[in-house]
Amino acid sequence: RETPILRQAYQYARSAHEGQCRKSGEPYITHPLGVAHIIADMKLDLPSLLTALLHDTVEDTYVTLPDVSKLFGTEIAQLVDGVTKVGKIPLSSVEEQQSENYRKLILSMSKDIRVLLVKLADRAHNMRTLQYMSPEKQRRIAKETMDIYVPLAHRLGIHWLKTELEDNCFRYISPEKYETLDELVRGSEEERRKYEEAVVEMLTKQMVEAGVGQH
């Protein structure tokens, strides 16, 4: 259910991101909205939703933390600040053996677990729209996600998000294998549908012949 402060946060973020676009060409506000939608799927609280809408305003626009604090309160400002700081951890050069150290660093910086949940939602939405990036960036971001964010989602017990992140990572890390597997899955679904239709047809015929359901 929408609350006045939620509408206020959306309008504030939309105004702050005015003129900014995603790689897809869509207005930038579609990203905070997408993150907020994932947070809603997680069934988190109102401050988490507000943070999702505002999470990029301080880093990417003229908005300051005091602005956020004045308009939305200290709690929201602290959450936005936490998400901004976690986002600044340089992960692009992370080697596999360092991944656990970086996960621990992210966990230690997320004094409020909601910071980490918003960051996970942020990464999930970015992975959903990764097709607009260059192949090199796709592979780098997918590997980073697999090494850092998938284990964090697993550790937090958010299995649907872990599975989604893994699937999207696989799509960009091993595109040929992903396509092959995707074709097999789609093929097996088609085969199953045909089988089910054949069974229904056979049973219907047998029921008619046996006079079942006829008066």
Side-chain angles (χ1 to χ4, degrees):
R1 188 168 58 84
E2 188 181 296
T3 62
I5 197 168
L6 200 58
R7 168 62 63 176
Q8 183 188 352
Y10 163 70
Q11 290 174 337
Y12 188 73
R14 186 180 63 179
S15 175
H17 290 294
E18 188 72 41
Q20 296 177 345
C21 290
R22 299 276 283 168
K23 288 284 185 184
S24 63
E26 294 177 306
Y28 194 88
I29 191 62
T30 58
H31 172 61
L33 277 173
V35 176
H37 192 279
I38 295 170
I39 291 296
D41 286 342
M42 290 183 190
K43 297 179 169 52
L44 298 186
D45 59 4
L46 180 60
S48 301
L49 283 168
L50 296 173
T51 303
L53 289 169
L54 299 165
H55 77 275
D56 274 338
T57 54
V58 172
E59 187 174 9
D60 295 340
T61 78
Y62 56 81
V63 173
T64 65
L65 277 175
D67 291 337
V68 176
S69 183
K70 183 180 178 182
L71 284 167
F72 301 100
T74 306
E75 180 185 13
I76 307 304
Q78 288 173 344
L79 289 169
V80 170
D81 186 38
V83 175
T84 302
K85 284 176 178 172
V86 168
K88 286 180 178 175
I89 299 174
L91 300 175
S92 56
S93 60
V94 175
E95 294 296 327
E96 202 164 329
Q97 62 266 28
Q98 291 179 299
S99 297
E100 179 60 21
N101 292 332
Y102 274 83
R103 289 195 292 271
K104 285 177 181 174
L105 177 61
I106 290 170
L107 283 167
S108 69
M109 287 181 70
S110 306
K111 293 176 182 138
D112 189 318
I113 194 67
R114 293 173 297 180
V115 167
L116 183 51
L117 292 170
V118 171
K119 194 63 201 168
L120 275 170
D122 175 49
R123 179 52 60 108
H125 187 260
N126 280 330
M127 287 300 297
R128 289 178 184 180
T129 55
L130 200 59
Q131 71 267 32
Y132 299 106
M133 294 289 188
S134 68
E136 184 186 347
K137 274 193 173 180
Q138 287 173 349
R139 284 190 295 273
R140 178 180 61 77
I141 293 169
K143 187 178 184 309
E144 178 184 290
T145 303
M146 185 66 86
D147 290 344
I148 304 293
Y149 290 97
V150 167
L152 286 173
H154 175 69
R155 190 172 295 184
L156 291 170
I158 313 171
H159 300 298
W160 66 268
L161 188 60
K162 171 183 176 280
T163 301
E164 178 185 315
L165 288 172
E166 281 177 328
D167 287 349
N168 282 331
C169 288
F170 184 40
R171 181 195 300 259
Y172 296 105
I173 292 171
S174 303
E176 290 179 6
K177 288 180 181 176
Y178 179 87
E179 282 300 320
T180 302
L181 189 61
D182 190 49
E183 284 174 17
L184 284 171
V185 170
R186 277 191 276 117
S188 63
E189 286 175 352
E190 179 68 17
E191 288 298 315
R192 186 169 66 246
R193 187 182 61 77
K194 286 179 181 176
Y195 171 74
E196 288 171 354
E197 286 175 356
V199 169
V200 169
E201 188 179 338
M202 180 188 70
L203 288 173
T204 303
K205 185 180 177 185
Q206 288 178 351
M207 288 171 70
V208 169
E209 288 174 354
V212 177
Q214 293 181 4
H215 300 285

